[in-house]
Amino acid sequence: MAHHDQTTYDDQNIFAKILRGEIPCNKVAEDEHTLAFADINPARAVHVLVIPKGAYVDWQDFAVRASAEEQAAFTRMIAHVAEVTGIADSGFRVISNIGVNGHQEVPHLHMHVLGGEPVGRMVDRG
Ligand code: AMP
């Protein structure tokens, strides 16, 4: 994937198109500020993406520019997704890939929520 400038939001990214309803998603939950939908290429039995509805490139952008209300909604939606997908009790992992070294492919902030089976070690230690 192409490098993206963390300060410039590309409104043609795939999640922006999902938010505008231009392409479909398998919705898990939604509130005023946040959308959760199934990852199209799931890495575990449960693999949901949680995104803010606002135009934020990544965690750094969201932390600086998003309102406290948006940040609270995002935090709570991750917990809600774990509850409604039935993975809260057995445990799960939340990951956000950021920028080049983080191997972020889609330049709209997203948290991966993974579970439903063992997720494995935190990262490959190579
Ligand atoms: P990342 O490397 O963190 O940017 O991950 C991007 C994620 O988006 C990958 O897990 C993809 O499988 C997922 N993805 C890409 N396109 C779609 C789509 N149209 N609907 C749902 N998930 C998608």
Side-chain angles (χ1 to χ4, degrees):
M1 285 294 154
H3 170 72
H4 56 271
D5 180 341
Q6 294 194 351
T7 63
T8 306
Y9 183 80
D10 171 13
D11 67 6
Q12 294 305 307
N13 81 74
I14 195 97
F15 297 166
K17 291 178 179 177
I18 287 174
L19 285 167
R20 290 194 296 266
E22 294 168 11
I23 64 167
C25 73
N26 193 350
K27 186 163 79 178
V28 173
E30 181 177 16
D31 70 13
E32 182 185 353
H33 298 296
T34 315
L35 177 66
F37 54 96
D39 194 292
I40 203 167
N41 184 22
R44 290 295 183 276
V46 173
H47 187 171
V48 176
L49 301 174
V50 178
I51 69 173
K53 290 184 176 177
Y56 300 106
V57 174
D58 63 13
W59 189 270
Q60 301 305 93
D61 191 20
F62 187 69
V64 170
R65 293 197 302 112
S67 68
E69 195 178 313
E70 288 174 292
Q71 294 188 16
F74 192 66
T75 299
R76 292 185 178 122
M77 181 59 80
I78 293 165
H80 178 68
V81 163
E83 289 294 335
V84 299
T85 58
I87 65 174
D89 290 345
S90 52
F92 59 98
R93 183 165 301 151
V94 178
I95 300 170
S96 191
N97 298 320
I98 298 142
V100 175
N101 280 2
H103 206 285
Q104 181 177 3
E105 295 188 344
V106 178
H108 181 113
L109 172 63
H110 50 284
M111 299 292 299
H112 298 256
V113 180
L114 298 147
E117 60 184 325
V119 178
R121 291 181 69 94
M122 184 173 70
V123 291
D124 183 0
R125 291 179 182 273

